[in-house]
């Protein structure tokens, strides 16, 4: 993976969606995205959002901060807000991983892979933030209690879990989208996330079936995704007006 997706000038949203429609490869997609009621708070769980460095707090208690609400009455915007919070978690995680390279036991080749994954997540986060707009943006404060960013095994285990969570969230929430362009963008992002987790699992056990351990990925309700996302958030994540219908995927949600 060698894409440099952080140096091109920003595009406006119409141009970005046009680029997404035209993107025919993962490399081109990553270049494009780089441009540019009742409230249900999660019981018993609970810095600057999405920091690009590891200098922010990394061990604050999940759910110890202020409420962070997503209201599904806003339709597609709510799905994008949930996705944006997920990308803030991912971008912050990999930024901390990269910042800890100097003292970690992660090899140079593995560092190159993890650095590019970080760049992808930063691009996803920037794209979603630009799509949502400042007025509807939800700023989150990630936390990663118990993760030793200098330890290879701890990093790869946490990275696999976070990527799987993002895939399950995207797969489940996508069914509530109504705008074709938005669905296309989300589908391309989750495709990249799937490649991330495969690359990570290949680092765990190279040249084995580990890179694709199941025939189908998870597909979770927003409430299920939010409960797991909460463990990575200082904020108290809450969902309002959650859709009552949900279409199960090949793997029935537990």
């Amino acid at each position: 993976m060698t894409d440099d997706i952080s140096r091109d000038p920003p595009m406006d949203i119409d141009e970005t969606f046009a680029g997404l429609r035209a993107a025919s490869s993962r490399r081109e997609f990553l270049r494009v995205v780089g441009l540019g009621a009742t409230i249900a708070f999660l019981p018993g769980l609970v810095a600057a959002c999405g920091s690009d460095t590891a200098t922010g707090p990394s061990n604050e208690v999940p759910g110890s901060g202020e409420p962070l609400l997503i209201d599904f009455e806003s339709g597609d915007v709510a799905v994008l807000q949930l996705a944006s919070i997920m990308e803030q978690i991912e971008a912050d995680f990999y930024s901390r991983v990269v910042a800890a390279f100097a003292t970690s036991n992660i090899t140079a080749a593995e560092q190159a892979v993890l650095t590019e994954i970080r760049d992808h997540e930063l691009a996803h986060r920037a794209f979603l933030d630009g799509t949502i707009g400042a007025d509807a943006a939800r700023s989150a404060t990630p936390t990663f209690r118990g993760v030793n960013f200098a330890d290879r095994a701890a990093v790869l285990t946490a990275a696999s879990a976070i990527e799987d969570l993002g895939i399950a969230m995207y797969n489940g929430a996508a069914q509530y989208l109504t705008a074709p362009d938005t669905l296309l963008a989300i589908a391309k992002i989750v495709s990249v996330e799937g490649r991330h987790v495969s690359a990570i699992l290949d680092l765990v056990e190279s040249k084995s079936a580990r890179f694709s351990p199941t025939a189908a990925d998870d597909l979770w309700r927003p409430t299920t995704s939010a409960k797991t996302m909460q463990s990575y958030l200082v904020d108290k994540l809450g969902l309002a007006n959650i859709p009552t219908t949900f279409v199960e995927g090949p793997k029935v949600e537990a």
Side-chain angles (χ1 to χ4, degrees), residues 154-217:
V155 165
L156 295 181
T157 297
S160 175
I162 290 171
E163 293 288 353
D164 280 339
L165 167 59
I167 291 167
M169 182 281 299
Y170 276 113
N171 285 344
Q175 64 187 263
Y176 302 119
L177 292 170
T178 59
D181 282 342
T182 306
L183 180 59
L184 174 62
I186 292 302
K188 290 192 174 186
I189 290 175
V190 75
S191 175
V192 175
E193 303 293 1
R195 286 160 173 78
H196 287 172
V197 74
S198 291
I200 291 163
L201 292 175
D202 190 60
L203 296 181
V204 173
E205 188 175 345
S206 180
K207 298 180 181 179
S208 73
R210 183 70 183 271
F211 82 99
S212 181
T214 60
D217 291 319

Side-chain angles (χ1 to χ4, degrees), residues 68-71 74-85 88 128-140:
L68 181 63
L69 177 65
I70 296 176
D71 188 348
S74 61
D76 285 13
V77 171
V79 176
L80 293 174
Q81 288 171 335
L82 188 65
S84 172
I85 292 172
Q88 290 176 57
L128 288 166
D129 287 349
T131 303
I132 295 168
D135 290 343
R138 295 291 183 270
S139 179

Side-chain angles (χ1 to χ4, degrees), residues 10 15 56 119 132 222:
E15 290 174 332
D119 292 345
I132 295 168

Side-chain angles (χ1 to χ4, degrees), residues 49-71:
C49 81
S51 171
D52 291 349
T53 71
T55 58
S58 62
N59 61 349
E60 291 190 46
V61 177
S64 61
E66 296 299 316
L68 181 63
L69 177 65
I70 296 176
D71 188 348

Side-chain angles (χ1 to χ4, degrees), residues 102-127:
T103 59
S104 76
N105 58 357
I106 299 173
T107 69
E110 293 167 340
Q111 288 181 13
V113 173
L114 293 168
T115 298
E116 187 154 1
I117 292 176
R118 178 207 61 182
D119 292 345
H120 296 172
E121 303 299 3
L122 292 173
H124 294 169
R125 186 188 70 188
F127 170 73

